[in-house]
Amino acid sequence: MNIKRTKEEIKNAIEAYLKKDEYGAYEIPVIRQRPMLLLGPPGVGKTQIMEQISRECKIGLVAYTITHHTRQSAIGLPFISKKQYGGREYAVTEYTMSEIVASIYEKMEQTGLSEGILFLDEINCVSETLAPAMLQFLQCKSFGTHKIPEGWVIVAAGNPPEYNKSVREFDVVTMDRVKRIDVEADYEVWKEYAYQQGLHGAVISYLNTRKQNFYQMETTVDGRNFATPRGWEDLSELIGVYEKLGKKPDREVVAQYIQFPKIAKDFANYLELYDKYQTDYQLEEIFRGHLDEILLKKIGHASFDERLSVLGLILSRVNELMKKAVQWEAYMEGLQSCLLEFKELTQCSLEDSVGQQLPDSRMEDSNGQQLFSGIYKKLNTDYINMKKAELLSRDEVKQYQRILHTLERFGQTLKLEGIQERQRSFVRVKELFALENEAYERQQNQSSEALEYAFDFLEGAFGTGQEMVMFITELNSNYYSVKFLEGSGCERYYQYNQELFFDEKRRKLLERLS
């Protein structure tokens, strides 16, 4: 099962486990809520999807790598307590609360979320002394005498024996109490994620041509060689920051992330050519609408790898601009929501505002600056609470920060210009919003122009060949390009996309007939 399907299965199970009846009891009793056990190779994203699921389901997440724990930290420390049995007092050994269980209660207090996921990684690599406790945990959902709180779903993960010498086999009794999910590496699924996360174009275009290098494991006399999705993503982050610093990763740096010498060498060579082609094919000129006939002929007769590298460069630039356009749209929607709220406050009557409160003063006595400050503070509070509960992705955090920064700038303008009257305050903020909207329109136009210039280049260099098919296919794989094209008219995209869809249907029909 690929990681995308695995994520869907876990979300479905969580939804089912947390479903309550009309009396507030869980439809599936806690005893029947089987822990989910993910088994698959390292680096495919098992841990990462837990973070995504907790954000999307708006529930808490407590994650542990169980190999870092001893029996004492998992079960608790023993202490002597006094008990009365049959009129006599006895000294009885009890245990303090497990560190893991305590962390769940702490998370509930910090975030206010009463339901969540307890994720334990490398669960089948526990020490011999901790193994019985892990079996009890999977079977009874408790560490020692302390149960996991109701509403917390257990997900565990481990690697099969071929990837880890420390793996301990679970017996049938234990396996019969878990929901087992076998996870596999799948490049096409990962590519969707890579586009959405904005991974470096060189990484994606390289793996498009060498899919077999996406995930590789090899045992040699010198040890284990491997390339994993986690390695490619971390390397992508480094390349992006290196570019901002004016640095270039060499073969040694690549090998620190892609620990498969042959693949690391191949990618390092590809990266050099990728950078070289940006200059050779005058990428900046292409996206100004200037096409050189000599360069068009050159790329048309270039090797397959060179053509795909240039295609990757074109895609990378187009995708980057489309992502900016989509994020600008989300930013403008958030900003507009604040503007509409401000309009409502500045135009409401005294009777409508009775009983409502702002942090600084009563609403009916507040001027425009104070009302606008209240909107900023309210949004900032929502942002802090959601961030504290770890319900925001990195992009969502940036979006909140961007909106808050703009609101703060608007508020400063009102203060500097001494505007306090409600209606005048709204008019001025509306003017400032109009300037942001103009910048948004420029971004949309720039993205649309980039797509048109890309089509100009591809048609001039390759016509309607396989490169055009690959270009359209990649646009359809990218979350941001699909979202941008849904609201933006591009005749050539729809034309080529329709032809591609028709050819695909015809190919499948011929396959059936044969």
Side-chain angles (χ1 to χ4, degrees):
M1 186 181 294
N2 63 50
I3 199 71
K4 185 177 181 180
R5 176 71 193 282
T6 298
K7 179 180 171 181
E8 289 175 5
E9 286 293 319
I10 296 172
K11 285 183 71 174
N12 289 340
I14 289 173
E15 189 177 345
Y17 288 174
L18 300 183
K19 172 72 174 170
K20 294 180 179 178
D21 62 21
E22 63 271 27
Y23 303 108
Y26 289 107
E27 293 274 9
I28 300 177
V30 174
I31 193 66
R32 297 297 175 204
Q33 294 179 10
R34 288 192 172 200
M36 284 166 270
L37 176 61
L38 313 184
L39 292 176
V44 296
K46 298 188 293 293
T47 305
Q48 209 159 36
I49 62 169
M50 292 302 114
E51 297 170 359
Q52 296 170 15
I53 291 168
S54 69
R55 287 197 299 267
E56 291 168 18
C57 295
K58 300 195 183 310
I59 57 177
L61 173 66
V62 172
Y64 276 98
T65 300
I66 203 64
T67 49
H68 299 168
H69 279 272
T70 63
R71 188 174 185 276
Q72 286 75 21
S73 63
I75 296 178
L77 293 170
F79 66 92
I80 305 298
S81 68
K82 300 295 183 179
K83 298 273 187 178
Q84 293 282 342
Y85 297 114
R88 295 184 58 185
E89 186 178 80
Y90 296 88
V92 179
T93 302
E94 293 191 34
Y95 288 85
T96 58
M97 182 176 282
S98 158
E99 177 188 327
I100 296 173
V101 177
S103 294
I104 296 175
Y105 285 106
E106 286 175 9
K107 176 69 72 171
M108 291 166 70
E109 287 187 7
Q110 289 171 1
T111 64
L113 300 171
S114 59
E115 298 176 327
I117 301 169
L118 172 60
F119 178 63
L120 298 184
D121 201 6
E122 298 184 15
I123 194 167
N124 55 351
C125 294
V126 295
S127 64
E128 190 172 344
T129 56
L130 193 53
M134 285 301 100
L135 297 180
Q136 180 202 25
F137 164 71
L138 290 173
Q139 292 176 13
C140 307
K141 302 179 182 65
S142 64
F143 283 107
T145 56
H146 302 283
K147 284 188 171 293
I148 305 302
E150 283 193 4
W152 280 74
V153 177
I154 297 167
V155 183
N159 301 321
E162 60 265 30
Y163 298 105
N164 196 322
K165 294 178 182 178
S166 305
V167 164
R168 176 181 301 276
E169 293 271 353
F170 289 140
D171 57 33
V172 175
V173 175
T174 302
M175 292 303 291
D176 194 36
R177 286 175 167 80
V178 301
K179 179 181 169 74
R180 172 174 172 161
I181 302 175
D182 292 303
V183 188
E184 300 171 349
D186 185 320
Y187 174 66
E188 293 302 324
V189 167
W190 181 83
K191 185 169 67 173
E192 291 180 29
Y193 164 81
Y195 274 131
Q196 193 164 355
Q197 295 299 116
L199 264 64
H200 197 277
V203 171
I204 297 176
S205 62
Y206 172 80
L207 292 175
N208 275 338
T209 61
R210 297 166 177 82
K211 293 182 176 66
Q212 71 279 6
N213 292 345
F214 166 63
Y215 194 97
Q216 283 278 8
M217 284 278 177
E218 178 184 81
T219 303
T220 68
V221 291
D222 298 320
R224 187 63 76 84
N225 296 328
F226 56 90
T228 69
R230 182 193 295 133
W232 288 115
E233 183 171 3
D234 291 347
L235 177 60
S236 170
E237 292 276 352
L238 183 80
I239 295 171
V241 175
Y242 263 32
E243 285 180 348
K244 294 176 182 177
L245 296 172
K247 300 177 184 289
K248 292 185 179 180
D250 57 19
R251 187 185 306 177
E252 283 71 24
V253 173
V254 172
Q256 293 163 12
Y257 292 84
I258 308 303
Q259 298 180 44
F260 199 115
K262 183 179 176 182
I263 297 176
K265 178 183 177 182
D266 190 43
F267 178 72
N269 293 337
Y270 179 87
L271 196 56
E272 286 184 17
L273 289 173
Y274 188 85
D275 291 336
K276 178 176 178 290
Y277 293 148
Q278 292 194 60
T279 305
D280 289 355
Y281 287 98
Q282 302 174 13
L283 198 67
E284 294 303 323
E285 290 301 307
I286 290 172
F287 285 100
R288 290 192 185 103
H290 303 150
L291 297 182
D292 188 318
E293 291 295 330
I294 296 174
L295 288 179
L296 290 176
K297 288 179 181 178
K298 179 184 175 183
I299 186 61
H301 293 89
S303 67
F304 181 68
D305 277 2
E306 186 169 335
R307 295 201 306 273
L308 290 188
S309 294
V310 174
L311 178 63
L313 285 165
I314 298 293
L315 267 167
S316 180
R317 177 62 65 87
V318 170
N319 285 334
E320 179 186 345
L321 289 170
M322 286 184 176
K323 181 176 181 178
K324 280 185 180 178
V326 171
Q327 290 176 332
W328 256 99
E329 185 173 6
Y331 159 72
M332 290 304 296
E333 287 174 357
L335 207 55
Q336 186 178 40
S337 176
C338 295
L339 181 66
L340 291 173
E341 186 177 353
F342 186 48
K343 178 182 180 181
E344 216 174 289
L345 292 178
T346 55
Q347 293 181 354
C348 69
S349 65
L350 292 180
E351 290 77 20
D352 292 335
S353 61
V354 171
Q356 300 184 57
Q357 291 183 350
L358 283 175
D360 299 322
S361 61
R362 293 175 61 203
M363 183 174 291
E364 58 266 30
D365 298 328
S366 300
N367 60 38
Q369 287 183 24
Q370 291 169 329
L371 290 174
F372 194 77
S373 176
I375 290 173
Y376 172 86
K377 289 175 181 177
K378 177 186 172 187
L379 185 66
N380 191 47
T381 300
D382 291 344
Y383 163 64
I384 291 170
N385 290 338
M386 291 184 74
K387 189 178 179 184
K388 189 177 179 181
E390 298 175 353
L391 295 177
L392 299 175
S393 66
R394 188 165 67 171
D395 282 345
E396 287 169 336
V397 167
K398 289 180 179 178
Q399 197 73 275
Y400 263 104
Q401 290 174 339
R402 186 180 180 188
I403 294 171
L404 286 166
H405 176 75
T406 301
L407 292 179
E408 188 175 21
R409 182 160 49 85
F410 286 5
Q412 286 295 329
T413 300
L414 293 178
K415 287 181 182 178
L416 289 171
E417 296 178 1
I419 301 173
Q420 294 190 0
E421 195 271 322
R422 290 187 179 193
Q423 192 58 35
R424 283 189 62 209
S425 297
F426 172 72
V427 170
R428 185 66 180 112
V429 169
K430 188 178 178 182
E431 290 171 353
L432 295 171
F433 176 82
L435 294 176
E436 292 295 307
N437 196 56
E438 287 175 12
Y440 160 69
E441 293 292 345
R442 287 194 296 271
Q443 177 64 58
Q444 298 298 306
N445 291 335
Q446 186 183 0
S447 300
S448 295
E449 284 179 357
L451 184 58
E452 295 294 345
Y453 292 148
F455 276 119
D456 289 342
F457 176 80
L458 293 172
E459 287 174 349
F462 311 117
T464 57
Q466 60 180 340
E467 290 82 5
M468 183 65 78
V469 173
M470 292 181 68
F471 183 70
I472 297 296
T473 302
E474 292 304 301
L475 289 180
N476 291 339
S477 301
N478 187 336
Y479 167 81
Y480 288 106
S481 61
V482 169
K483 196 164 184 60
F484 175 82
L485 288 162
E486 281 176 354
S488 173
C490 179
E491 289 184 12
R492 284 188 284 185
Y493 165 75
Y494 291 115
Q495 173 197 334
Y496 287 121
N497 198 47
Q498 191 173 15
E499 289 174 5
L500 175 64
F501 180 68
F502 177 76
D503 288 343
E504 181 67 13
K505 285 180 70 176
R506 183 173 58 182
R507 184 186 64 78
K508 288 182 178 179
L509 180 61
L510 289 172
E511 284 179 358
R512 288 182 186 176
L513 291 173
S514 61

